Amino acid sequence: MKKKLTPNDKNNEQAELSLFQQTFGDIAPIKQDKIPPHRISGKHKWSTSKKNSVETAQIRQANAAFQFSDGFEGHFDLDEPLKYVREPEDSQQVKRLKRGDYPPDLILDLHGYTKDDAKLEIAALIQAAQKQHCQCVSIMHGKGTYVLKKAIPNWLIQHPAVKGFHQAPKQWGGQSALLVLIAFL
């Protein structure tokens, strides 16, 4: 419910308005200097046909593909949990991963994937995490034949957006998963 204004309140309000206009009267509004993003018109949007959706998926994968090398092998201490910190980064953040202080924003489950498919998925995950400004992601590789468990840390070391990783605590997959810290580009 509005309070009714008395004559003194109206005079006071007018005095405040004139004081405001005196103070800020010579200020001009700022012109918009930002360029709006390019909008795709209806003619150029991806159609939903099966052929075009496959082409779209291939284009997205090609854009997201980071070339991981299988020839590179990092040195990890077999007596300790799997962990890595990129050189200028703070090792305390990786310790926080170990404690489970950073819950993963995105989770990638690679159970049943081949090495080649897993490479593409990890590259796409890192790109998506950067795009969405996710600080921590989880990669679940499982135990299985240890093929992915051995390869994934070596791939992650190669990617410039990976600040560090640590074997996940039990609540996020334990020995079957890694928590990865992602740098924003």
Side-chain angles (χ1 to χ4, degrees), residues 142-161:
K143 292 183 181 176
T145 60
Y146 293 99
V147 172
L148 290 179
K149 186 173 182 165
K150 290 178 192 175
I152 289 173
N154 294 322
W155 296 337
L156 292 174
I157 289 173
Q158 298 173 43
H159 202 289

Side-chain angles (χ1 to χ4, degrees), residues 125-134 159-161 182-185:
L125 172 73
I126 293 171
Q127 183 188 31
Q130 288 178 310
K131 193 173 187 179
Q132 297 174 21
H133 296 283
C134 298
H159 202 289
I182 305 294
F184 308 129
L185 296 181

Side-chain angles (χ1 to χ4, degrees), residues 159-170:
H159 202 289
V162 174
K163 296 195 300 186
F165 58 82
H166 199 287
Q167 178 179 313
K170 286 191 179 192

Side-chain angles (χ1 to χ4, degrees), residues 11-85:
N11 291 338
N12 195 15
E13 190 176 296
Q14 288 175 350
E16 286 181 11
L17 180 62
S18 66
L19 179 63
F20 178 82
Q21 288 174 344
Q22 286 175 352
T23 306
F24 296 104
D26 60 340
I27 295 176
I30 298 174
K31 291 184 179 181
Q32 176 69 7
D33 63 346
K34 300 202 184 295
I35 299 170
H38 176 68
R39 303 281 184 210
I40 299 174
S41 67
K43 295 177 185 177
H44 301 296
K45 285 185 180 177
W46 301 105
S47 69
T48 57
S49 73
K50 189 172 183 178
K51 179 183 175 187
N52 284 341
S53 64
V54 170
E55 289 174 4
T56 303
Q58 289 172 344
I59 291 169
R60 286 183 183 156
Q61 278 190 336
N63 289 338
F66 178 82
Q67 299 301 318
F68 293 113
S69 170
D70 285 326
F72 177 80
E73 279 195 35
H75 173 70
F76 298 106
D77 191 356
L78 300 176
D79 297 331
E80 292 186 15
L82 191 58
K83 64 182 176 182
Y84 166 76
V85 181

